[in-house]
Each structure stands twice: as C-alpha cells, then as structure tokens.
Amino acid sequence: MRTLLLVTEIRMSDEGGTITEALSGGGEYICERLKFEPTMAALIETAAVQAVVCAAGLGTVSLLDPTVPRLLHSLSALPLDRQLAFLRQAASSLDDDPPPARLQAALARSTLHGPAAFTPAGPAHAPTSAPAYRMSPPGR
C-alpha cells in the first residue's frame, strides 16, 4: 500500500490530476508489478484511500466506511500541493514499525552509559550427544 501511495504521488507530480484519478486502478498496477494475486487489488486500493483520508484528518472507522467516497471527493477538490502532502503523510505513516520497546530501552541505556564492548556470542546449536547429566530413577 505504501508503494501505491508513493507511485501515486510521483504520477500526480508529473501528470497532475486528482487523488481520485491517480489512485483509480492503482491496486491493479501494484498487484501486477509486485506479483500479488489480482484479487488483492481492491483491498490495496481501498486501504490506500483510507490512509490518505486519515492523513488528512478525516479518519474513518473501517475500510468499508460509506463516507469514504465523499471524503475522497472533497480531498480531490483541494489544491495539488495539499493532495501531494496528504499522500506523503499517508505513506510516511506506513513506514517500518518502530523497534521493540526493549530494544529502544537498550539503545537509550547504551547511549547514557557510553558504548559497550560488543562480544559476539558463540554459534547457537543443538547438542549433538546426550546431556552430561544422568537422571536417577525416583526414590534413589
């Protein structure tokens, strides 16, 4: 979906038009280029539209919200630079997830205490022989 938003921004910058025109058929384009099943086209396009509507501050509650076409039409009436800004904002909101909280905490801690010497752990592998301990039968 992020790819569709970025491609739409480039297309609109080059050719003009509106968000509605540029996103129309975009799901099929993405499915063809990225080798997705063609049946995913409508979902990709609808999710991209919802991301743009949310980026514009006109949030929706679902991909199938009946107000989406009206909201998209109102966005299409805005100046081109505003439409492009909403596309960029929607695409950037779909960037990679932030790192897990534990990783962020570790990075913050290492920044506070200075760089620590990194010692790589040995290779992780399963034991190739029986364990070194022996279990005795119950009662012994």
Side-chain angles (χ1 to χ4, degrees):
M1 180 176 50
R2 184 171 186 269
T3 303
L4 174 55
L5 294 168
L6 295 172
V7 168
T8 301
E9 180 188 354
I10 292 168
R11 182 176 170 204
M12 286 180 65
S13 294
D14 292 346
E15 302 171 12
T18 65
I19 289 177
T20 305
E21 296 166 347
L23 285 174
S24 180
E28 293 167 0
Y29 171 81
I30 295 300
C31 286
E32 182 180 306
R33 301 289 277 175
L34 299 179
K35 307 288 188 243
F36 292 154
E37 288 293 319
T39 55
M40 297 295 294
L43 179 62
I44 292 169
E45 203 168 307
T46 303
V49 167
Q50 184 185 31
V52 171
V53 168
C54 288
L58 307 171
T60 60
V61 289
S62 122
L63 292 177
L64 304 174
D65 189 332
T67 63
V68 170
R70 180 180 53 78
L71 296 173
L72 190 60
H73 180 70
S74 66
L75 290 177
S76 294
L78 295 173
L80 180 62
D81 61 330
R82 295 273 315 273
Q83 293 180 54
L84 294 174
F86 291 138
L87 283 168
R88 273 190 299 279
Q89 186 176 346
S92 69
S93 73
L94 299 171
D95 280 343
D96 295 332
D97 292 335
R102 285 184 186 265
L103 177 59
Q104 287 180 341
L107 292 173
R109 184 170 186 255
S110 66
T111 302
L112 291 173
H113 297 291
F118 176 71
T119 307
H125 57 81
T128 55
S129 61
Y133 61 89
R134 194 170 111 176
M135 295 181 62
S136 56
R140 284 195 181 186

